[in-house]
Amino acid sequence: MIDGKLHIFTPEGVTLAVVPAGAARRGYAWFIDLIARAVIGFLCMFLLQLAMPGGAGTGMMMVVFFLIEWAYFIVLEVFFNGTSLGKRLTGLQVLREDGLPVGWRESVLRNLLREIDFLPFSYGIGLGFILLDKHARRLGDIVAGTVVVYRDKATVRPALPVVTPLPLPYALTPDEQRALLDLVERVRTVPAQRQTELGDLAEPLTGLKGEASLQRLFQYAAGLTGGKQA
Amino acid sequence: MQLEALQIDIRPGSHAAAIDLGQPLLRRYWRSVYLAWWLPWLALALLLWAILPRDDLAWGTLAMWWLRPLFDRLPLYILSREVFGEHVTAWQALRAWPRQLGGWLRFLTIWRPFMVGRGLYAPIWMLEGARGKFALQRRRALGARGAYGAASWFGVACLHFTLVFELAAYGLVAMFAITPDDMSALEALGKYLVQPEVVALAGHISYVLADGLIGPVYSAGCFTLYLRRRAELEGWDIELALRRMAQRRARLLKPLGSAVAALLCAAVFMLPQPRAHAAEPVLSASRPAVVPAAHAASGAADGQCELPSYVTAQQKERGTAHDAEQDAVRRDLETVRASEDFRTWKCELRWVEKKRDIKAGKDSESWLYRFLRWLFDRDGPSRSRDSNSGIGLGSADMLKLVLVAGLVGLLAWLLWRNRERLSVLLASVKVRPPLPDEICGLDIRPESLPDDVPAGVRRLWGEGRQRDALALLYRATVSRLAHDHALELHAGDTEGDVLRAGRRAAEAQRLPAQALDACRDVTEIWSAAAYADQWPVAERLEQVLQRWRSALAEVRA
């Protein structure tokens, strides 16, 4: 089963699933960062030329350019929870492979290796690695042990209809209970005819058919959630 | 459509994650997909190169870009079948290609290649067979909720990925074309790219290479987006979940109905752990596995090995049965316990290494002899004894021996020369770890204590600060033990740990018995006071202080 997720096993025995981000979204993030760095660079150039015209300004400019090139990503990733400006706007985040936030070591490594990923020109190696790697990591990510993932958005659970709760007809596994809740939350979004079909499919569980079967499922779900929101 | 056979997870998620799913799918079937793409792709590229005038090859490149929507069908054809478990070869896809093209020729409009999100709509025509107004409705439904936007942005990204690979191809060539006189690699390349026909040819080659790599990526990404979108619209994952529930229900009901006698028992044991079958490997891993010896292999294949020793021991322990009835009950019990559901051991057939006779001669050779043989006989017996066979060692061998001896001598000399530094290194291992500053939350640094501890204790006791007095006494005791008697204590030690460490030290003659007695007394009254609120009478405290002074205060004075 291909699910495109990275499953992290914590020492407590909990499995966390994060979704590594593919090449396209990372490309947008990089482009936003490119523009941000260009703007910062021009602003600094302008201000420095005003403040100290002549050789000193040029020298300072060199330092600023160096920092924009090498420190921009590192500093932002370390201090802003693994997000640079572009990553923040596109909903991405750098994590360590064990799910922890990146520190100096990882961030410095992955961003120094940008130069290798950039080879032979315009991120050819980096793109190749992202397309080939299982978790869409470029070379820098592989070396630093990091992975770029989608940041989770808080999901809004739809309101369930208020019905009389019923106990389950037989014991369901936790997975099945989750599937049942998922079902009742989403079943109303599919076409009416399809809803009836799904109701028929639930017959072994409810002993009913069609819409009546769905109603029974809603009651089971209410029994699971105690009549409250899931 | 066999939803159970679906190879990818179609639970709803973000559009971007859905598009990303195309990449693992493509990686799984890359052989047939790329083969099917590249055969016509390369043929077309070569054909255009052959028939077009050299200067006008750029028009050929443009034509390939314009025809790309036709090539998108090939990965889609393969992946859409493989994803449901149906195997398709590249050749089958190519055979089916002309039929797939049919209606598409009229779609080869000027704007089609510019329609960057076209990949999302391709399956509507190709897989669903929708035409006309119905197709329009399907497009509206599938493209809703930002799906078409996501596909379009992915198309834009893929255009740029093509550009990235084209530039990378130029860059790769430039890395080899650069000479020390050039300012940069691109400038070096620029010297070669002057004639129009060379520029056109380079552009053609790089485009064919780059888009031949990215084209299937685009198709696959759009296809998985399409799948997820349809699954979301039609509740595929809901259907799958319901089907699985029904299957499990059927599995549960079968054993319940079959054996009436075991009905109660089965119901009790099966319902609380309905996934017993799925969990089997995990459970058995935690049990002691009985590995049958090699000669029991035939029995093991039938699932009947000898009972493990702890089971037979248990059986023996019970002795003989009182009467026939008990014997029968026992046998019944044994059968139940030996059945697969109840036994605590597992019978499996395994390869076991045979016991081999170790050749006596080999290991009795001394290591020096073996080392010398390794050194000189490595190249086999055929090489040795070339010219001066009578002497044994050739001149090259002599040189080798001298060099090895020299190396050994050099190592020995280095060790001798650095012996002082090494001895410091060795000694430093034995240095005691620094003493902790506090134990049981009490500060035990000597400088934190008053000079005359018993007097301080008496003063505090006299002032009515009994707890402070006893705390000071205990603190001083631990401090003296740690600093004056070199007792090894750690920051996390409790009163009991300290006492135990003291007892160990006393047994090893590192701590005088008096000091240990004093420590025991103090610990006793301190623990009773601190944890049980049992305060000592003044006489008892005085007695303890006396002993403390004689045992622990002496050293300091």
Side-chain angles (χ1 to χ4, degrees):
Chain A
M1 181 69 91
I2 300 171
D3 65 355
K5 286 177 184 164
L6 171 63
H7 297 273
I8 299 168
F9 299 96
T10 69
E12 294 83 10
V14 180
T15 312
L16 304 172
V18 292
V19 189
R25 186 63 78 91
R26 295 180 64 175
Y28 315 146
W30 174 83
F31 184 68
I32 292 173
D33 279 324
L34 181 73
I35 292 176
R37 284 186 295 164
V39 169
I40 296 170
F42 276 118
L43 272 182
C44 289
M45 193 151 73
F46 180 66
L47 291 177
L48 279 170
Q49 285 301 327
L50 278 186
M52 24 181 167
T58 315
M60 283 304 291
M61 205 52 240
M62 292 292 163
V63 174
V64 168
F65 277 139
F66 176 82
L67 289 179
I68 288 174
E69 176 69 22
W70 292 103
Y72 171 85
F73 281 107
I74 300 177
V75 170
L76 286 187
E77 280 174 8
V78 170
F79 288 107
F80 292 90
N81 201 10
T83 58
S84 60
L85 185 66
K87 289 194 187 77
R88 185 162 283 266
L89 291 181
T90 49
L92 300 181
Q93 182 182 18
V94 190
L95 284 182
R96 266 163 53 173
E97 268 165 351
D98 53 6
L100 295 176
V102 282
W104 285 103
R105 181 188 163 277
E106 291 85 20
S107 189
V108 167
L109 257 181
R110 75 184 291 276
N111 287 306
L112 286 188
L113 280 164
R114 247 170 221 286
E115 291 305 299
I116 307 294
D117 279 315
F118 190 78
L119 288 176
F121 190 68
S122 68
Y123 283 95
I125 289 182
L127 179 59
F129 265 95
I130 289 179
L131 292 181
L132 289 176
D133 185 73
K134 197 165 67 173
H135 303 310
R137 294 168 298 176
R138 59 180 177 83
L139 195 61
D141 285 321
I142 295 174
V143 171
T146 55
V147 61
V148 178
V149 301
Y150 293 108
R151 258 183 302 151
D152 281 334
K153 282 188 209 122
T155 45
V156 186
R157 296 259 174 197
L160 295 180
V162 182
V163 287
T164 325
L166 273 184
L168 292 171
Y170 63 100
L172 292 181
T173 63
D175 278 344
E176 287 175 340
Q177 296 183 7
R178 267 192 294 273
L180 180 62
L181 290 180
D182 199 31
L183 181 152
V184 297
E185 280 173 6
R186 285 184 37 224
V187 75
R188 292 302 182 207
T189 62
V190 306
Q193 194 191 347
R194 179 73 179 152
Q195 287 185 22
T196 322
E197 268 177 44
L198 290 174
D200 291 348
L201 276 171
E203 200 192 340
L205 190 68
T206 57
L208 299 168
K209 274 187 167 290
E211 182 57 33
S213 175
L214 284 184
Q215 283 303 331
R216 182 59 62 85
L217 287 180
F218 274 106
Q219 289 183 311
Y220 289 153
L224 275 178
T225 58
K228 295 191 201 85
Q229 289 295 302
Chain B
M1 188 156 36
Q2 280 288 310
L3 281 188
E4 282 91 343
L6 202 61
Q7 306 261 328
I8 61 171
D9 182 13
I10 32 109
R11 272 176 297 180
S14 71
H15 293 323
I19 289 172
D20 291 344
L21 265 185
Q23 206 45 36
L25 187 67
L26 178 63
R27 270 202 304 275
R28 186 174 284 189
Y29 303 109
W30 69 274
R31 269 172 218 277
S32 48
V33 170
Y34 275 99
L35 191 63
W37 179 287
W38 269 88
L39 282 176
W41 183 251
L42 196 63
L44 181 65
L46 288 174
L47 182 76
L48 287 169
W49 172 71
I51 60 170
L52 283 176
R54 296 282 176 268
D55 288 353
D56 294 336
L57 192 56
W59 291 107
T61 315
L62 195 66
M64 290 195 75
W65 173 71
W66 186 60
L67 286 172
R68 237 205 60 185
L70 300 184
F71 286 90
D72 286 349
R73 332 280 83 208
L74 286 163
L76 186 55
Y77 184 85
I78 297 176
L79 292 179
S80 63
R81 278 155 183 78
E82 292 279 12
V83 86
F84 286 106
E86 183 191 338
H87 185 60
V88 184
T89 61
W91 183 239
Q92 284 170 335
L94 284 173
R95 288 270 300 275
W97 196 33
R99 282 200 306 282
Q100 306 286 337
L101 295 180
W104 261 85
L105 285 175
R106 69 197 165 89
F107 282 115
L108 279 182
T109 49
I110 296 296
W111 47 268
R112 177 62 52 171
F114 289 99
M115 202 177 136
V116 281
R118 62 179 185 273
L120 180 65
Y121 293 160
I124 295 175
W125 188 89
M126 221 180 106
L127 304 177
E128 299 180 17
R131 301 287 185 276
K133 209 166 197 168
F134 181 57
L136 197 68
Q137 280 177 353
R138 290 293 298 154
R139 276 183 218 151
R140 286 220 183 102
L142 280 169
R145 291 194 51 210
Y148 183 70
S152 302
W153 275 110
F154 183 57
V156 172
C158 280
L159 276 180
H160 288 92
F161 291 161
T162 308
L163 196 66
V164 162
F165 276 147
E166 282 186 66
L167 289 175
Y170 282 113
L172 193 65
V173 176
M175 281 168 93
F176 292 100
I178 194 167
T179 58
D181 299 331
D182 295 318
M183 286 293 284
S184 73
L186 286 184
E187 194 201 51
L189 198 64
K191 282 190 296 192
Y192 296 94
L193 295 175
V194 274
Q195 295 157 301
E197 67 259 30
V198 177
V199 174
L201 184 61
H204 191 61
I205 293 175
S206 63
Y207 175 75
V208 168
L209 284 178
D211 224 12
L213 291 175
I214 294 298
V217 171
Y218 173 72
S219 266
C222 285
F223 173 59
T224 45
L225 176 62
Y226 164 82
L227 267 189
R228 275 255 178 117
R229 189 78 191 106
R230 254 194 93 176
E232 192 184 344
L233 284 174
E234 297 169 23
W236 284 5
D237 57 320
I238 297 178
E239 179 178 340
L240 268 179
L242 284 176
R243 280 187 193 282
R244 284 200 193 112
M245 272 189 222
Q247 275 168 11
R248 197 178 71 89
R249 180 71 174 150
R251 267 208 315 276
L252 280 181
L253 286 173
K254 214 187 290 171
L256 280 172
S258 63
V260 181
L263 185 68
L264 189 66
C265 186
V268 167
F269 280 96
M270 295 202 63
L271 282 181
Q273 24 167 261
R275 300 185 90 187
H277 292 290
E280 178 83 357
V282 184
L283 281 176
S284 65
S286 65
R287 296 168 181 171
V290 177
V291 183
H295 63 262
S298 61
D302 306 325
Q304 299 170 339
C305 353
E306 290 168 23
L307 287 176
S309 57
Y310 65 93
V311 175
T312 45
Q314 231 174 19
Q315 288 172 357
K316 258 182 215 157
E317 249 173 43
R318 280 187 299 216
T320 50
H322 288 293
D323 49 13
E325 196 186 350
Q326 192 186 19
D327 196 42
V329 169
R330 275 189 187 176
R331 253 182 287 130
D332 277 358
L333 264 176
E334 287 308 323
T335 5
V336 171
R337 284 186 60 192
S339 69
E340 196 143 352
D341 287 331
F342 289 99
R343 66 187 177 205
T344 55
W345 44 275
K346 190 173 128 189
C347 186
E348 63 180 27
L349 186 61
R350 255 192 223 169
W351 291 102
V352 178
E353 205 180 349
K354 265 191 195 171
K355 276 191 185 135
R356 220 181 293 163
D357 293 335
I358 300 160
K359 281 181 189 160
K362 288 269 176 186
D363 278 329
S364 62
E365 284 174 4
S366 79
W367 63 270
L368 188 65
Y369 181 75
R370 267 185 286 156
F371 172 70
L372 287 175
R373 231 197 19 202
W374 171 79
L375 204 59
F376 296 114
D377 257 5
R378 238 179 343 158
D379 302 355
S382 60
R383 179 205 63 108
S384 58
R385 320 296 98 83
D386 39 347
S387 53
N388 39 7
S389 58
I391 300 167
L393 287 178
S395 55
D397 286 346
M398 285 302 290
L399 193 63
K400 213 181 197 177
L401 192 61
V402 168
L403 283 177
V404 171
L407 189 68
V408 171
L410 183 71
L411 269 176
W413 178 73
L414 277 173
L415 280 177
W416 176 250
R417 197 185 125 100
N418 291 314
R419 62 189 185 282
E420 276 166 16
R421 232 176 279 173
L422 285 172
S423 65
V424 169
L425 263 182
L426 288 177
S428 70
V429 176
K430 288 176 199 153
V431 166
R432 279 185 68 198
L435 281 167
D437 285 345
E438 56 170 63
I439 287 174
C440 316
L442 299 170
D443 192 345
I444 65 154
R445 284 169 303 165
E447 56 268 27
S448 71
L449 297 170
D451 287 338
D452 188 356
V453 175
V457 173
R458 278 194 202 100
R459 189 168 47 76
L460 286 169
W461 188 269
E463 286 171 15
R465 292 163 61 191
Q466 298 184 326
R467 179 174 281 274
D468 290 343
L470 291 186
L472 172 64
L473 179 59
Y474 186 70
R475 200 153 66 84
T477 312
V478 178
S479 172
R480 289 288 148 85
L481 286 176
H483 288 98
D484 298 348
H485 295 282
L487 206 62
E488 271 195 40
L489 297 175
H490 310 282
D493 283 351
T494 61
E495 283 90 347
D497 290 331
V498 173
L499 202 55
R500 263 190 295 281
R503 211 169 288 142
R504 271 200 304 276
E507 276 166 21
Q509 306 290 331
R510 279 186 279 115
L511 187 71
Q514 280 181 317
L516 178 63
D517 288 341
C519 174
R520 196 179 293 132
D521 287 344
V522 173
T523 307
E524 199 176 285
I525 60 169
W526 160 246
S527 310
Y531 300 115
D533 208 22
Q534 304 257 316
W535 300 93
V537 289
E539 291 81 37
R540 167 82 175 132
L541 180 70
E542 193 52 42
Q543 183 194 352
V544 169
L545 282 178
Q546 294 290 343
R547 285 171 78 170
W548 193 92
R549 189 184 287 281
S550 63
L552 290 169
E554 300 277 297
V555 186
R556 177 73 29 127

